[in-house]
């Protein structure tokens, strides 16, 4: 952990430049360019909304809110998490020139990849907020919780990427496994459905252990439910325990594999 | 007192350095080895028990046949790869003319790449500004400097890469046959630049297969064979051994 922080010292400018570069690379070669970063998630969201309403004929309200708004808050968080999981697993291989060609602090690759995704996320959040205001939600003091949840989400999935990315260097199969399991994570997490409304006691615990739910519900608490994050102490405690574990495992795996990465790639 | 000064002058120090590459049957065994000790398929010893010291301002050639471990030594010096055992001490900034286009982003312009590379090497914005013009001038790119690097010819890319690497004022310059790219005019210009850097007490490590190129620059030569350092000393004698072994 200390090693990772040390690698970042004096790299402020570079990280920012590289993040922007990564961002540029994400949408190069298309006419609409940056617009795709917002269009793609919007299309996904509308498709799911249509399916829910027209196909499954779910009620148009969920948890006391319009289904679209409910899904919007969840999806915005989910898109970031999805990008972080897939991007985090891929990022070292994608930027292998920093590993095999020059001496470069590899943990910085995780950071600038994450920041580039986070910039996109912030853009989407701003769009969502404009929509919510137009839809009649009033600015409220609960909204400042967003910064807490966003920061935690960034750090949590950055720490995840240390493990996912390091292992992916050693096995392409693992990288493919991560990409393919993401869809599964989406369905077992309460992005489309309300994970707070689970009756079965065992399922309830299972749902609570899922960090994706922590963030999805966190965004809903912030923008829809108007609830403070400390109201559910058990949930908070479980999350921080998981965060600590992910952090330790990530730092351990990174340290263990860092020196071998150049030889493998 | 004298001894102490001698010690201070040493800029690169290899002590019993060994580098082995682990070879696995396939990727899944390589992955499995992360979690439990597994019998390796084979270990390839790239270099074995190599020790040498290089003083500040020395120009040292490294020769040896393919697979003798030359590139591994350079990679360790540039910090890309790490020794399996032994210690390596390096004092000062290393500039590498190994792969001149390493770290370039082809979508960005030449000028943006100067900044990117400068940042990666740990320069501040102001510092890059101060060497920007020197780089552009040396690379002779003219107005192409504001075009994306993907539109450059390979010669132009090499020129830019060379210019950036030598302008960042390294203490140690590592060259791996990079100069064989480019036309004879630019090659001559590069040689001149390297010579002027040598005069300014920059330490140079030069790896090449062409003996004449090494002869021109280096007095001392390290001769590697099958991962071992078999000779360290006068260039002429090293060549004799190298030729005799061929």
């Amino acid at each position: 952990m200390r090693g990772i922080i040390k690698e970042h010292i004096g790299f402020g400018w570079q990280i920012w430049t590289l993040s922007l570069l990564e961002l540029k690379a994400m949408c190069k070669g298309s006419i609409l360019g940056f617009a795709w970063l917002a269009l793609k998630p919007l299309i996904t969201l509308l498709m799911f909304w249509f399916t829910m309403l027209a196909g499954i004929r779910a009620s148009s309200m969920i948890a006391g809110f319009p289904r679209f708004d409910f899904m919007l808050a969840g999806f915005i968080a989910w898109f970031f998490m999805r990008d972080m999981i897939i991007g985090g697993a891929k990022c070292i291989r994608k930027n292998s020139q920093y590993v095999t060609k020059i001496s470069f602090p590899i943990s910085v690759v995780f950071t600038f990849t994450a920041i580039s995704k986070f910039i996109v996320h912030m853009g989407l959040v701003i769009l969502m907020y404009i929509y919510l205001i137009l839809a009649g939600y009033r600015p409220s003091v609960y909204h400042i919780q967003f910064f807490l949840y966003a920061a935690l989400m960034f750090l949590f999935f950055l720490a995840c990427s240390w493990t996912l990315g390091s292992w992916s260097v050693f096995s392409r199969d693992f990288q493919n496994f991560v990409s393919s399991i993401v869809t599964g994570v989406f369905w077992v997490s309460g992005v489309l459905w309300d994970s707070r409304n689970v009756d079965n006691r065992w399922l309830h615990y299972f749902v609570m252990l899922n960090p994706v739910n922590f963030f999805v519900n966190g965004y809903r608490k912030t923008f829809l439910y108007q609830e403070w994050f400390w109201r559910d102490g058990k949930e908070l405690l479980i999350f921080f325990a998981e965060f600590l574990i992910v952090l330790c495992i990530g730092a351990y795996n990174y340290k263990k594999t860092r020196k071998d990465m150049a030889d493998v790639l | 007192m004298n001894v102490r000064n001698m010690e201070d002058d040493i800029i690169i120090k290899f002590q019993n350095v060994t580098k082995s590459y682990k070879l696995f049957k396939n990727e899944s065994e390589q992955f499995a080895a992360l979690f439990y000790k597994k019998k390796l398929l084979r270990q390839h010893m790239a270099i074995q028990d190599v020790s040498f010291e290089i003083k500040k301002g020395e120009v040292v050639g490294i020769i040896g046949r393919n697979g003798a471990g030359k590139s591994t030594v350079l990679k360790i010096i540039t910090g890309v790869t790490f020794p399996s055992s032994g210690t390596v001490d390096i004092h000062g900034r290393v500039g590498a003319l190994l792969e001149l286009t390493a770290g370039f982003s082809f979508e960005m312009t030449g000028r943006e790449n100067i900044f990117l590379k400068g940042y990666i090497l740990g320069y501040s914005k102001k510092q890059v500004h101060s060497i920007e013009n020197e780089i552009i001038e040396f690379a002779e790119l003219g107005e192409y400097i504001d075009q994306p690097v993907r539109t450059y010819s390979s010669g132009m890319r090499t020129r830019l890469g060379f210019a950036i690497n030598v302008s960042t004022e390294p203490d140690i310059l590592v060259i791996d046959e990079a100069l064989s790219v480019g036309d004879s005019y630019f090659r001559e210009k590069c040689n001149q630049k390297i010579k002027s850097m040598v005069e300014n007490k920059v330490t140079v490590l030069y790896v090449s297969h062409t003996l004449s190129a090494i002869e021109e620059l280096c007095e001392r030569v390290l001769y590697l064979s099958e991962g071992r350092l078999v000779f360290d000393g006068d260039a002429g004698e090293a060549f004799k051994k190298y030729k005799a072994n061929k």
Side-chain angles (χ1 to χ4, degrees), chain B residues 209-222:
Chain B
H209 288 290
T210 40
L211 300 179
S212 62
I214 288 194
E215 233 162 5
E216 205 182 329
L217 281 166
C218 318
E219 279 175 15
R220 180 181 165 195
V221 167
L222 304 177

Side-chain angles (χ1 to χ4, degrees), chain B residues 101 104-109 113 147-151 157:
Chain B
T101 52
F104 275 174
S105 161
F106 280 27
E107 285 304 315
M108 298 208 308
T109 69
N113 267 299
Q147 297 297 316
V149 169
R150 72 182 141 81
T151 63
R157 279 175 205 158

Side-chain angles (χ1 to χ4, degrees), chain A residues 10-11 13-14 17-18 21 24 28 93 97-105 166-174 253 256-260 262-264, chain B residues 19-22 27-28 30-31 33-35 75 78-82 98-99 101-105 107-108 112 116-125:
Chain A
F11 258 87
W13 261 111
Q14 293 90 313
T17 317
L18 291 166
L21 178 67
K24 244 191 225 171
K28 72 164 187 235
R93 270 187 190 277
Q97 59 164 343
Y98 292 123
V99 182
T100 57
K101 301 276 169 70
I102 48 180
S103 170
F104 189 81
S166 302
W167 285 0
S168 297
V169 169
F170 289 83
S171 166
R172 245 174 287 238
D173 292 331
F174 180 73
N253 277 320
K256 201 172 89 177
T257 55
R258 193 247 175 269
K259 291 195 170 175
D260 288 329
D263 301 342
V264 175
Chain B
K19 172 77 191 178
S20 61
Y21 289 100
K22 296 169 197 156
E27 244 188 30
S28 61
Q30 175 178 296
F31 187 55
L34 284 178
F35 305 101
K75 272 187 176 171
T78 51
V80 170
T81 186
F82 303 87
L98 300 180
E99 296 196 44
T101 52
F104 275 174
S105 161
E107 285 304 315
M108 298 208 308
E112 285 171 325
L116 177 71
K117 194 90 190 249
Y119 291 152
I120 289 172
L121 291 170
Y123 272 77
S124 71
K125 205 172 185 175

Side-chain angles (χ1 to χ4, degrees), chain B residues 36 50 53 71 112 194 197:
Chain B
Y36 57 98
V50 171
E53 287 173 355
S71 303
E112 285 171 325
I194 291 169
M197 289 173 84

Side-chain angles (χ1 to χ4, degrees), chain A residues 22-38:
Chain A
E22 183 83 8
L23 202 59
K24 244 191 225 171
M26 264 190 244
C27 42
K28 72 164 187 235
S30 59
I31 300 165
L32 291 174
F34 283 96
W36 277 116
L37 296 177

